[in-house]
């Protein structure tokens, strides 16, 4: 039987801490797509952003609060009136809004960053929680850098904020310093020493600097924590946060050990991971647990032999349980629109008519040049087509001359604000020439941080998936493009990155936050 005692609440912070990963900035439309996916997955609380940071952040938190009705929606706020008021303004429209306020509790942060005494910080923490609870009873408080804080002071702060109205107290391992046994012990100690702790849910928020974020979160859960803050693919500040898929699948696979459940529909994990990768351009390492390309691949002959005889020999969870369908050959070039729509549905995509039309056109183009079109090909197309930001720049045409004796030359045609422009570019290689042509057409010259191409499936007719990361105003944006011709994929990726930067430029007035 599931009770709050054996239910772990999943608080997803992909859109807040996750967005703090370099290159992970998302525009409002992309954040909305992630939020809808999180709702579909059954996440309990979505931390939608940090409303005071910029008008753009505020607007997207408010949009998520307005449109997502199946999850609680939280806005982050430092422990001051202006942040809390702004966070409330953003989330008030939610079906179940939450204010998440935080202040540091470690002497290191107090001395070097805040330059305030323990007494002063305690007062500010209590005042912040009191102000937040004047708006809503759903208030979360985090003593930042809790794991490097004096234990007596931490206990005192946790007790005081609960007394002031915090209904969730989150214990962050802000710098990823904790060791699982020690962190579990810290949570157990808080349960022993804080007299009013039963009036709040204890949450944890672990960073992965030592590769221990998931282990620490699980140790905390074993010792009474009932909310875990996590992100899809484990993205987040520096080395990232506890990965949601790891926490959830550990609890599910080792229910015998934990005796706990979450509300996550684990079959949506794979698609969520892909969507985030597609939007941010941040790839998942192949050997990453649960969502890496090799997570369910068995290479060794002994393992394969065992699996053929009985799956349980080497498989602790099935690929299907995290939403990886067996790879199907998608129909060929004679397949109709209805067949594609059906396959997209089976793969878990619900697209509007316009996105289906664009996907279908791209599918036909691909099927013309590629004999076999796989699910992965279709997913790459649909992800690219449906995650496009509003486009200032559009790819129209590319012709490249290159070879061992020719000067690599790219002739490109693009639409800029609906107007057709053609230019030629030269370079040391064809990609260099293409990027030069795009720069001429768009009149931009942003530093290129990253350029990479991967084959989506096997075979020389595989689609290439290109990634381009550009930098502007201290922010970076990653674009992706898929096409059987890697040069076209590269051009599309560059244009996609430009379109993404275009939006961030409009929201460039970010406030410095702690
Ligand atoms: O890592 C951290 O301490 C945070 C807090 C704002 C919860 O992200
Ligand atoms: Zn964090």
């Amino acid at each position: 039987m599931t009770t709050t005692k054996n239910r772990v609440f999943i608080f997803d912070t992909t859109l807040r801490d996750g967005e703090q990963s370099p290159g992970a900035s998302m525009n409002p439309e992309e954040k909305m797509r992630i939020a809808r996916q999180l709702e579909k997955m059954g996440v309990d609380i979505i931390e939608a952003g940090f409303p005071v940071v910029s008008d753009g952040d505020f607007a997207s938190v408010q949009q998520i609060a307005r449109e997502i009705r199946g999850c609680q929606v939280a806005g982050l706020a430092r422990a001051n009136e202006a942040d809390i008021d702004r966070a409330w303004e953003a989330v008030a429209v939610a079906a179940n809004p939450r204010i998440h306020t935080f202040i540091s509790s470690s002497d290191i942060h107090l001395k070097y960053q805040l330059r305030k005494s323990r007494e002063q910080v305690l007062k500010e923490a209590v005042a912040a929680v009191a102000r937040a609870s004047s708006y809503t009873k759903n208030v979360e408080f985090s003593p930042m850098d809790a794991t490097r804080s004096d234990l007596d002071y931490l206990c005192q702060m946790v007790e005081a904020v609960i007394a002031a109205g915090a209904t969730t107290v989150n214990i962050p391992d802000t710098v990823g310093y904790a060791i699982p046994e020690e962190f579990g012990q810290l949570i157990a100690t808080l349960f022993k020493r804080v007299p009013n702790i039963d009036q709040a849910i204890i949450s944890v928020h672990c960073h992965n600097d030592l590769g221990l974020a998931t282990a620490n979160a699980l140790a905390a859960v074993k010792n009474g924590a009932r909310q875990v803050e996590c992100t899809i693919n484990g993205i987040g500040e520096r080395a990232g946060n506890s990965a949601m898929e790891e926490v959830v699948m550990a609890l599910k696979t080792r229910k015998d050990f934990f005796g706990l459940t979450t509300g996550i529909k684990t079959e949506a994990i794979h698609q969520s991971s892909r969507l985030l990768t597609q939007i941010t351009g941040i790839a998942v390492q192949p050997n990453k647990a649960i969502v890496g390309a090799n997570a369910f691949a068995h290479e060794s002959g002994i393992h394969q032999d065992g699996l053929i005889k009985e799956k349980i020999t080497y498989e602790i969870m099935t690929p299907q349980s995290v939403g990886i369908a067996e790879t199907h050959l998608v129909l060929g070039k004679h397949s109709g629109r209805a067949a594609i729509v059906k396959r997209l549905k089976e793969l878990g995509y619900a697209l509007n008519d316009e996105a289906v039309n664009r996907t279908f056109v791209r599918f036909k183009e691909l099927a013309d040049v590629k004999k076999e079109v796989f699910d992965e090909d279709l997913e790459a197309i649909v992800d690219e087509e449906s995650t496009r930001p509003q486009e200032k720049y559009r790819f129209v045409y590319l012709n490249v001359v290159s070879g061992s004796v020719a000067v690599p030359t790219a002739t490109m045609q693009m639409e800029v604000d609906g107007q057709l422009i053609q230019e030629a570019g030269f370079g040391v290689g064809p990609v260099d020439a293409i990027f030069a042509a795009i720069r001429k057409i768009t009149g931009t010259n942003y530093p290129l941080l990253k350029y990479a191409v991967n084959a989506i499936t096997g075979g020389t007719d595989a689609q290439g998936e290109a990634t381009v990361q550009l930098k502007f105003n201290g922010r970076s944006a990653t674009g992706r493009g898929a096409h059987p011709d890697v040069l076209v994929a590269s051009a599309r990726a560059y244009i996609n990155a430009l379109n993404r930067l275009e939006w961030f430029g409009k929201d460039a007035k970010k406030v410095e936050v702690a």
Side-chain angles (χ1 to χ4, degrees):
M1 196 181 78
T2 303
T3 66
T4 44
K5 266 189 155 30
N6 61 17
R7 171 83 146 79
V8 175
F9 295 101
I10 297 297
F11 176 110
D12 182 277
T13 184
T14 305
L15 296 175
R16 200 277 299 166
D17 210 316
E19 214 215 1
Q20 290 171 215
S21 303
S25 303
M26 296 173 237
N27 66 33
E29 192 189 322
E30 293 164 341
K31 287 185 181 172
M32 207 51 237
R33 283 183 57 105
I34 296 282
R36 286 205 190 92
Q37 181 68 20
L38 293 172
E39 183 181 36
K40 183 171 141 192
M41 285 182 93
V43 157
D44 298 289
I45 306 109
I46 296 175
E47 185 162 55
F50 201 161
V52 83
V53 165
S54 75
D55 291 346
D57 284 58
F58 176 88
S60 65
V61 174
Q62 195 171 50
Q63 187 189 3
I64 291 167
R66 192 179 301 115
E67 292 184 27
I68 298 293
R69 308 315 282 177
C71 312
Q72 298 176 44
V73 177
L76 187 66
R78 288 168 299 184
N80 66 56
E81 291 188 357
D83 274 36
I84 291 168
D85 294 354
R86 191 77 173 141
W88 177 245
E89 219 186 310
V91 298
V93 285
N96 194 347
R98 173 180 293 194
I99 298 174
H100 176 193
T101 185
F102 72 98
I103 194 165
S104 294
S105 56
S106 71
D107 288 336
I108 300 173
H109 281 207
L110 266 56
K111 180 172 174 196
Y112 296 108
Q113 191 178 13
L114 301 184
R115 301 202 172 98
K116 288 179 180 167
S117 67
R118 285 188 185 177
E119 294 68 35
Q120 179 62 26
V121 168
L122 186 63
K123 241 167 80 186
E124 288 179 23
V126 168
V129 169
R131 187 166 188 96
S133 24
S134 72
Y135 290 125
T136 170
K137 294 298 149 225
N138 192 352
V139 175
E140 172 170 336
F141 174 79
S142 293
M144 190 152 90
D145 203 19
T147 50
R148 294 192 301 168
S149 301
D150 175 79
L151 185 58
D152 291 339
Y153 182 58
L154 183 64
C155 290
Q156 196 188 354
M157 191 179 265
V158 171
E159 183 180 349
V161 294
I162 295 174
T167 43
T168 300
V169 177
N170 177 48
I171 307 299
D173 182 25
T174 304
V175 290
Y177 179 72
I179 302 296
E181 197 179 334
E182 173 197 47
F183 192 55
Q185 210 44 56
L186 172 63
I187 301 300
T189 305
L190 289 174
F191 273 100
K192 268 191 223 114
R193 292 197 27 196
V194 176
N196 55 358
I197 200 149
D198 57 332
Q199 289 165 38
I201 288 176
I202 297 303
S203 164
V204 288
H205 173 113
C206 301
H207 279 273
N208 205 31
D209 300 67
L210 294 173
L212 294 170
T214 298
N216 281 330
L218 293 172
V221 157
K222 192 69 182 161
N223 284 280
R226 286 296 175 268
Q227 175 179 290
V228 174
E229 303 200 353
C230 46
T231 58
I232 299 172
N233 296 345
I235 66 166
E237 187 80 35
R238 304 182 311 280
N241 292 70
S242 307
M244 190 219 285
E245 62 277 6
E246 293 174 9
V247 172
V248 167
M249 289 313 288
L251 293 176
K252 182 170 176 169
T253 308
R254 295 306 311 275
K255 192 154 192 280
D256 60 317
F257 181 76
F258 291 102
L260 298 166
T261 55
T262 71
I264 299 295
K265 295 173 189 71
T266 60
E267 294 76 13
I269 284 177
H270 175 67
Q271 197 186 25
S272 309
S273 166
R274 261 199 76 86
L275 178 66
L276 184 69
T277 301
Q278 194 62 40
I279 285 177
T280 61
I282 298 175
V284 170
Q285 74 197 56
N287 59 323
K288 162 85 178 62
I290 321 291
V291 292
N294 296 345
F296 294 92
H298 300 271
E299 189 81 10
S300 135
I302 296 175
H303 288 209
Q304 288 173 354
D305 174 63
L307 274 168
I308 290 164
K309 290 174 177 149
E310 170 54 60
K311 285 216 162 35
I312 200 175
T313 50
Y314 291 96
E315 206 171 73
I316 59 165
M317 57 198 150
T318 64
Q320 290 75 20
S321 68
V322 298
I324 300 173
E326 273 172 32
T327 296
H328 287 262
L329 204 58
V330 177
L331 329 143
K333 65 175 175 183
H334 302 296
S335 316
R337 193 175 182 281
I340 299 302
V341 170
K342 180 168 173 283
R343 188 68 199 132
L344 286 171
K345 269 206 189 118
E346 284 161 4
L347 290 169
Y349 292 98
L351 302 185
N352 62 28
D353 276 356
E354 203 203 320
V356 169
N357 289 344
R358 289 202 307 256
T359 303
F360 186 57
V361 169
R362 291 280 304 276
F363 165 77
K364 281 289 190 190
E365 283 169 11
L366 184 64
D368 263 345
V369 292
K370 192 172 187 286
K371 267 203 312 258
E372 298 171 324
V373 181
F374 294 92
D375 285 346
E376 290 91 330
D377 292 315
L378 197 56
E379 283 179 326
I381 293 173
V382 76
D383 287 344
E384 189 191 328
E385 287 302 323
S386 53
T387 57
R388 280 192 182 169
Q390 287 117 9
E391 293 182 319
K392 178 179 174 72
Y393 308 112
R394 287 181 78 91
F395 173 93
V396 179
Y397 162 91
L398 171 67
N399 186 47
V400 176
V401 179
S402 181
S404 58
V405 286
V407 176
T409 309
T411 309
M412 283 233 25
Q413 216 177 61
M414 284 174 60
E415 256 178 45
V416 179
D417 288 327
Q419 200 193 336
L420 266 187
I421 305 183
Q422 181 168 313
E423 277 290 356
F426 308 95
V428 292
V431 173
D432 199 31
I434 292 167
F435 292 177
I438 298 176
R439 283 196 293 269
K440 267 196 203 166
I441 292 173
T442 57
T444 60
N445 192 9
Y446 301 121
L448 177 71
L449 298 184
K450 179 177 160 190
Y451 166 66
V453 184
N454 282 314
I456 291 175
T457 55
T460 50
D461 68 346
Q463 282 201 92
E465 192 168 38
T467 305
V468 167
Q469 195 176 27
L470 300 173
K471 194 174 167 191
F472 169 65
N473 251 358
R475 303 191 70 173
S476 58
T478 308
R480 290 191 150 217
H483 198 271
D485 182 328
V486 293
L487 297 178
V488 176
S490 304
R492 284 183 186 276
Y494 197 105
I495 293 167
N496 186 237
L498 279 180
N499 279 320
R500 293 167 58 74
L501 271 188
E502 184 59 23
W503 186 84
F504 299 138
K506 289 185 191 131
D507 189 39
K509 282 186 256 107
K510 290 238 167 193
V511 171
E512 273 298 306
V513 291

